[in-house]
Amino acid sequence: MKKILTLALLATTLLGACEKESKMAGANQPSPNRVVVIPSDGKTASATILVSQIGHDGKTCNGCVLDGGDYIHVDCMGEGHYCAFAASVQLQQVGTAVTATTTDTFGLTSEDIFLMPARSLNYTDANNNRIFLNIPAQLLFRDTTTLQFTFTGLFFSNIAAYSNN
């Protein structure tokens, strides 16, 4: 009986320690919604990567993308956090207007459309300030000549404009 009580106490202690460790590790994880800037080596421009989680399970979706008059589900697009998303882009700012054009042809999707949900991405600017790059929800179409996508209507702010749900 004493052995069983000791084993139960030991198991409870270990499970509690693992749970605390898991919670502590999660607290230090970077946000899944962020802008990653990879500095250049001097020969090329810096690479900018938009990172987020998007999309939802197709089992619970009756259709979210209009295709030829019918609503269909396309994996890893639209609202939700089902899929990891990363897109290498070139940011362009003219006045307050900000756009981001993909730099890899099929890194975002092999489809000719991309349904982007509204997202606020953590960003550290050139002056080391923590700000947000906000991307409004939009349906993007692949450019028929360059085969790239261009996100429009982006803007920077000191607080997140979207809840990232």
Side-chain angles (χ1 to χ4, degrees), residues 99-122:
T99 60
T101 303
T102 57
T103 58
D104 52 350
T105 305
F106 297 107
L108 186 58
T109 182
S110 60
E111 302 287 335
D112 287 334
I113 60 170
F114 184 73
L115 181 58
M116 179 67 193
R119 288 289 183 262
S120 291
L121 310 180
N122 289 320

Side-chain angles (χ1 to χ4, degrees), residues 55-125:
H56 50 275
D57 189 351
K59 295 175 188 171
T60 60
C61 177
N62 293 327
C64 51
V65 176
L66 187 60
D67 181 36
D70 295 319
Y71 281 97
I72 62 169
H73 170 80
V74 180
D75 288 336
C76 302
M77 289 190 196
E79 290 300 321
H81 301 91
Y82 194 70
C83 302
F85 149 77
S88 179
V89 299
Q90 178 181 5
L91 288 176
Q92 299 145 337
Q93 184 169 0
V94 177
T96 57
V98 181
T99 60
T101 303
T102 57
T103 58
D104 52 350
T105 305
F106 297 107
L108 186 58
T109 182
S110 60
E111 302 287 335
D112 287 334
I113 60 170
F114 184 73
L115 181 58
M116 179 67 193
R119 288 289 183 262
S120 291
L121 310 180
N122 289 320
Y123 183 75
T124 303
D125 69 11

